[in-house]
Amino acid sequence: MLSLPVYVVEPIEQLLHDLLDLGQVEAHLGVAQQSGQVVLAEFKHQKNLKIESFPLNQTRQIKGKDSIFKFFWSGNERGQGGAGILLAEKWINNVFDVQRVSDRIILLRLVIGKAIFTFLSVYAPQSGLSDTEKQCFYDQLQGAVTKIPASEILIPLGDWNGHVGAESQGFEEVHGGRGFGLRNMEGERVLEFALANDLVIGNTCFVKRESHLVTYCSSNHRTQIDFILYRKSFRKSVNDVKVIPLEECVQQHNLVVCDFTVTIPTVKKRRFIPRIRTWKLRDQAAAEEFKTVFKDKITVETPVDSTGSVEDVWTRLKNPLLDTASKVCGLSKNHQWRRETWWWDDKVEDAIKMKRTRFKTYKALTKAGKRSEAIAAKTAYIEAKRIAKHAVWQARSEAEKEQFADISPNDGSIYKLAKQMDRKNQDVVGEKCVRNDAGELSLNDEDKMKAWVEHYARLLNVEFEWPSDLLPDLAPVEGPPPPITVDRIRKALSKMKCGKAAGPSGIIAEMLKAAGEEGLEMLRQLAEVVFINGEIPKDWEESYILNLYKGKGDALDRGNYRGLKLTDQVMKLLERVLDNFIRGMVDIDAMQFGFVPGRGTTDAIFIIRQLQEKYIAANKPLFVDLEKAFDRVPRKVLWWALRSMGVEEWTIRVIQGMYTDVRSRVRVNGQYSEELECIRDPSSARCFSSLY
């Protein structure tokens, strides 16, 4: 199910205006909790938002006025209860694990500085529910806490639906003796849970007046049931835990805030590297201009010696392409973006201010005991609230009409927009933490690079054991490469998709297609030189590896990621030409699925499923041998197999050249590791891999 963005429009005005003087704001963070919903923000720069409830397990981006939050939610289909965590934009990319333990418990882990913080938002069963349900809740909570290493900073918080009392009698280790009210059985469960896990109840550790202790108000009934807990080892870092009264977030519950200090290392400012705005080549006018400028930069009258240097021919093609693209498309600029809320206008601003003013008046009169005046103020507040909601709805409707005017269900724009929303609403969107070979978590970019280099150094340099000396000798099929025609290059280029990422050289398919006939001729000359010499340019030996989480299994395990290699687009073009030649030399087996017209991998899955159903119906065993689709076949075996199929030797020399001196760099958060030598190259990166 696709999660669409939710816009929450009611900022809690000056939420922590009177909380603390955050002079060193970079080191001060806060956790706010209310009725099983948690906010983590750097409060001086962000405004908290009204928290809305969602009935299902979802992750949504929430936008307020000039601020963005992400809401992680764990609920049920009944739309009752649930727990959530609201995360400020600054920390979204630091999240590396989200677990929805139940509809009452959600766990979020993120990296702040060099420490791992684990937040557990809980919504305990009410006192009127059965002991079985309460015991089930605490069993699930204990199971989640037990798995959290002692090295992590654990902060369970939420609506515990229990009274721990004002005194610490019998629980001096976890109760600070500065609570509120009388203890009950549910509160004793909370204290026992804290005692068993070496936790402290933060609400009871600071001297507060009564209004800053009460977390729940209903008529004349006032209690303390919302608590923020943390480990004893973290106690010195906590500056304050208090209640913020008079904040209308959730009815009857007051906001509880914990302010603590952590060390955040200085983030090195990245050097801006301008990029060519190649997306402009989608415009036909820009493509025509590219063609004209490129033609002026080259000299087609000078013939190229097909037996000359591969590097010279490649440079003669690469430099004009990049220079032309820079001139026609331009380079990106380094500038600061100022966030603007696209639908917020003066009318909305005035309506929100009026609503907040009337709400404060109503609360002040209620507190002063002026009942008749408070009733009138409440009526005025409800009317202002209705007007504010209508103003927001009207502003958003008008803005959406303008923003989505060009979106049509008949083209790809609607699907592109849906995919963008889906990516933003995933639980983990930043560069994920992974465990290295020693089982330790890699928290910063440098450690992540080292972990990935270790992983790929092992993965890309392991072959299956094979007695290659037992392979019979085969005489090579000698012969010169066939002539390369422009039509063959044009056909291969037409099959290349646009919008694909560039390799290390920066050349993409859009440039090649916009280069016109002159570009096709130069590509033909380059292919001829490569096929005759059996060598490729040095630029083609290098590639970039990107890590893509498969969406299943432990996100900390590097084995659950797919390594995507960004190779040069011109080399991919020549691979298509070479693949066409090879397919004319061999007969592909009928059992080959994938990379074959008319026989996709879905056909193979369908056949296996049919066999499975027939064997189950006949009560017979069926064994399916599944292996990860990663290339570990020894190269000597591949060369022997190609010769045994009658592939000409010039073709094998070109393929061997593409697999010689291969080097890769791993990209982590926009930065690249040192070069990594690869004895083997993943076969999925080659368009002719099906022939193996």
Side-chain angles (χ1 to χ4, degrees), residues 417-464:
L417 179 64
K419 287 182 179 179
Q420 290 174 351
M421 291 180 177
D422 187 47
R423 282 195 296 268
K424 289 180 180 179
N425 294 326
Q426 292 177 355
D427 283 343
V428 182
V429 295
E431 192 69 42
K432 300 176 179 63
C433 298
V434 292
R435 293 191 181 95
N436 57 22
D437 288 351
E440 302 170 345
L441 276 178
S442 305
L443 302 181
N444 54 48
D445 290 346
E446 183 179 353
D447 291 341
K448 292 175 187 177
M449 282 187 187
K450 291 180 181 179
W452 282 115
V453 169
E454 289 175 350
H455 176 68
Y456 287 114
R458 179 176 61 256
L459 194 65
L460 299 178
N461 294 286
V462 176
E463 293 184 345
F464 288 130

Side-chain angles (χ1 to χ4, degrees), residues 30-34 37-39 119-120 122 154-160 174 190 194 199-206 215 224-231 234 238 240-243 254-260:
V31 176
Q33 174 274 322
Q34 188 168 37
Q37 301 172 81
V38 182
V39 181
F119 296 95
L120 270 166
V122 305
L154 172 63
I155 303 180
L157 66 171
D159 184 350
W160 297 86
V174 299
V190 178
L199 299 171
V200 177
I201 300 178
N203 306 47
T204 64
C205 296
F206 299 89
T215 66
Q224 185 184 47
I225 60 175
D226 304 289
F227 302 105
I228 297 178
L229 285 66
Y230 44 83
R231 281 179 169 157
F234 190 61
V238 178
D240 196 11
V241 178
K242 67 178 294 185
V243 173
N254 292 328
L255 194 67
V256 185
V257 176
C258 173
D259 181 71
F260 55 87

Side-chain angles (χ1 to χ4, degrees), residues 444-511:
N444 54 48
D445 290 346
E446 183 179 353
D447 291 341
K448 292 175 187 177
M449 282 187 187
K450 291 180 181 179
W452 282 115
V453 169
E454 289 175 350
H455 176 68
Y456 287 114
R458 179 176 61 256
L459 194 65
L460 299 178
N461 294 286
V462 176
E463 293 184 345
F464 288 130
E465 295 184 3
W466 187 274
S468 56
D469 55 336
L470 300 180
L471 296 175
D473 294 331
L474 295 174
V477 181
E478 296 291 352
I484 310 297
T485 63
V486 173
D487 289 339
R488 190 180 290 273
I489 299 294
R490 182 184 290 107
K491 183 179 179 181
L493 183 59
S494 65
K495 295 181 179 180
M496 296 189 67
K497 296 181 179 179
C498 297
K500 297 296 183 180
S505 71
I507 295 176
I508 60 175
E510 287 89 333
M511 296 181 189

